[in-house]
Amino acid sequence: MHSSLTLAAAAPPAGGAAIGQVAGMTLAVTLFTALLLWLGLGHRSGRVKILGRASDRLGRLAGLPGWAAMPLAVSSISLLIAAIGLYWDVSLHIDQGRDPGPLANPSHFFILGGLYGIFTAGWLAIVLPGKERPGPAAVKIASDWYAPVGGLLMAACASFALLGFPLDDMSHRLFGQDVTLWGPTHLMMLGGAALTLVAVLVLFAEARLWQREQRAAGVAREESPTAVHLRRARMIGACGGLLAGLSIFQGEFDFGVPQFNMLFHPLLIAFAGSLALVLARTLIGRGGALAAVAFFLLLRGALALLVGVGFGETVPHFPPFVVEGLLVEALAFAVKPGSFRFGALAGVLIATLGVLAEYAWSHVWMPLPWPAHILPEAIALALPVAIAGGVLGTFVAGGLQLDSKLIGRPRAWIAAGASLVAVAAVVAFLLPSTAPTDAHAQIALRTVHAGTGPDSDGRTVAATVRFDPRSTVADANWLTITAWQGGGKLVVDRLRSLGDGVYTTTQPIPVSGDWKAMIRFQRGRDLAAIPVAMPADAAIPVPAVPALATATRAFEGDRQVLQRERKQDVPGWLWGVAGLVVLGITSTLLFVLGWGLVRLARRGSAGPPPPAPVAQTTSYEQELVVV
């Protein structure tokens, strides 16, 4: 009894956060929101001068109106902070397990601060414009108050992401903790942050429109070559950042603990690459796709070093997207960017040659290399997803380039909507999974390191596993022993075949303390696991699975083993209702983003014509219309 009580006291909670921590976070957010309201409304009334002075100074430095310069600066810094927090948070959960509470995890402060910073940027964009209208697409708030569409979209994306925090806590209380990046509320946080880059581009386009109006009225001078190059750098950063944002959804594969079909990996890469790189090439001109890839590699490389070396956690891997960038650039020589045809053809190239290139890369620097036998199905399923990404990238680019003829028609909305439906259909097709029935494994463990000394890292073992029937794991997409959440770096050991259904480990596997070690297997619809060693957990509660010298154990559903914290007695209809709520909120945000892009294109294209290019511009500068 005493040991059970001690374990219960020591085990981190597996449900929602403690009420005291929820109250503390709510109070902090409320106070900061009150400060934002005071600053913003005080600026609108003229009583508070600090925002006006600071934004004007930033505007002069950035060559933009202050109402855009300050929000763009705040959102850029906030997105970087949120990205650091996200990858740190995922690596902490993989290596350390679940949190004692939301305030006990330092990465949560980065995520929450970054997302709230994005909301702050949106609020600043809404309140900073003076009595005059900030461009033709601005939305009327009051008689003398017009807010730029980009600011409204930025606040909407941030609100969507921030809403994920209370919904996540509610989900934990109803369903238990979901230790997966792909939990519905987690995807809200990730998706809201990624889509913020679209809002950033819209705000930047509105600033360019306002400047165009000022020059047409003779109020402002023409752009200098330096300003044009600075504009290109901003676009590269935004498009490269969008590529990084969309790549967040590959995170479980990047770390090596995917909880879904391996075919999702090439599909996610193809979608991210087609959408972001079509957008980059269309907006920036020649070299734009490769420049966005370069920014992506710089950002993701820095994050990998920070998390893996700086914080000492498991390193997140990432795809390079170089071949995809080259394919998009090559296509632009044959088909003019800016049409749905260009986007669709780019998707075809990325889904075929791009997927083949990423297959090769997976054998260079990915925790789980793709087996060759998945390529035909990967390409077949990637085709509709990548084409959809290219169409959506063209839709976004059309709004930013004020091409109302392209995206202002009903068929453009149909194309964008059909693209989203196609992606959702492929995802729904791949989600269901099963576990092999009447199959088991005979596990023999040999101690490599006893781990009994005071400075020991714990016991490690070598394993020999015989599967019965032996055909159960033949042609597996992955067959590993995975050990995680034990206070050290993740271990993903790809089992080596000895023949006749017998496999062996290739490195020591930790099995003592808090380590959770399991055999994991995926092929087709089969996604299953066998526990090798699991600690007792009184907070769930579940008993220990001891690391025995010999044991015969059956396959279980991968989710049951990997997500032990998930409650098993929740009715299916409740999970379905929760999913529909998240889907409804997500659909609303996507519609609002589409509305903002169409409004920008229609209102902006009705304004004065763009000024002539400045002297000594290069060909890529002439391709830039607004952004």
Side-chain angles (χ1 to χ4, degrees), residues 63-111:
L64 293 171
W67 53 263
M70 176 175 276
L72 289 173
V74 172
S75 63
S76 298
I77 296 170
S78 300
L79 282 167
L80 180 59
I81 292 172
I84 292 171
L86 166 71
Y87 282 101
W88 189 12
D89 183 57
V90 175
S91 66
L92 277 172
H93 284 298
I94 287 174
D95 294 345
Q96 310 296 331
R98 65 180 184 264
D99 306 314
L103 301 183
N105 186 333
S107 64
H108 287 182
F109 292 94
F110 280 73
I111 297 174

Side-chain angles (χ1 to χ4, degrees), residues 167 171 174-175 184-185 572-585:
L167 290 182
S171 176
L174 289 173
F175 308 113
T185 53
W573 67 264
L574 185 58
W575 176 257
V577 169
L580 288 175
V581 169
V582 173
L583 178 62
I585 299 171

Side-chain angles (χ1 to χ4, degrees), residues 133-465:
R133 186 172 180 170
V139 178
K140 186 175 182 179
I141 304 296
S143 59
D144 61 346
W145 184 359
Y146 286 86
V149 173
L152 295 172
L153 296 182
M154 201 178 296
C157 289
S159 299
F160 174 78
L162 288 167
L163 183 60
F165 276 91
L167 290 182
D168 191 50
D169 186 67
M170 186 182 301
S171 176
H172 290 169
R173 295 178 189 279
L174 289 173
F175 308 113
Q177 286 202 3
D178 48 344
V179 289
T180 169
L181 194 66
W182 278 23
T185 53
H186 299 165
L187 293 179
M188 288 182 65
M189 302 177 207
L190 304 179
L195 292 174
T196 299
L197 272 301
V198 176
V200 165
L201 288 167
V202 170
L203 183 61
F204 184 51
E206 289 183 283
R208 294 278 301 135
L209 272 173
W210 183 84
Q211 290 175 320
R212 187 179 77 176
E213 290 181 337
Q214 297 295 301
R215 287 194 293 272
V219 178
R221 293 180 298 178
E222 299 296 337
E223 278 189 305
S224 67
T226 301
V228 173
H229 285 286
L230 182 59
R231 172 156 47 101
R232 178 178 169 86
R234 291 192 186 102
M235 299 312 304
I236 291 170
C239 292
L242 180 61
L243 181 59
L246 294 173
S247 294
I248 289 173
F249 299 106
Q250 306 152 21
E252 291 195 348
F253 295 94
D254 292 347
F255 279 98
V257 198
Q259 302 184 53
F260 300 91
N261 195 316
M262 179 175 270
L263 288 169
F264 273 115
H265 199 193
L267 265 60
L268 292 168
I269 292 174
F271 179 77
S274 58
L275 195 159
L277 298 180
V278 165
L279 175 64
R281 180 60 182 85
T282 305
L283 290 184
I284 302 168
R286 272 202 299 274
L290 287 174
V293 169
F295 183 91
F296 165 84
L297 291 174
L298 179 65
L299 177 61
R300 286 298 306 270
L303 287 171
L305 286 173
L306 180 63
V307 171
V309 178
F311 298 150
E313 306 292 344
T314 294
V315 175
H317 299 67
F318 51 88
F321 287 107
V322 173
V323 171
E324 290 90 326
L326 289 170
L327 291 170
V328 172
E329 294 289 345
L331 178 64
F333 285 103
V335 180
K336 185 178 179 181
S339 67
F340 286 123
R341 179 168 176 257
F342 176 81
L345 289 174
V348 171
L349 290 175
I350 289 172
T352 51
L353 299 178
V355 166
L356 290 174
E358 296 299 345
Y359 160 76
W361 176 255
S362 75
H363 290 264
V364 175
W365 197 56
M366 278 292 173
L368 296 172
W370 305 348
H373 66 257
I374 75 166
L375 286 176
E377 192 174 4
I379 291 173
L381 291 173
L383 274 169
V385 171
I387 291 171
V391 168
L392 291 170
T394 301
F395 185 90
V396 175
L400 296 170
Q401 291 196 313
L402 312 183
D403 193 345
S404 59
K405 293 182 179 180
L406 179 70
I407 73 164
R409 299 176 180 179
R411 65 181 183 182
W413 279 92
I414 293 173
S419 297
L420 292 172
V421 170
V423 174
V426 175
V427 169
F429 173 75
L430 288 178
L431 276 178
S433 63
T434 58
T437 56
D438 300 325
H440 61 270
Q442 298 171 8
I443 307 168
L445 303 181
R446 175 177 58 83
T447 298
V448 175
H449 178 68
T452 56
D455 299 324
S456 172
D457 293 329
R459 180 189 175 203
T460 61
V461 300
T464 301
V465 185

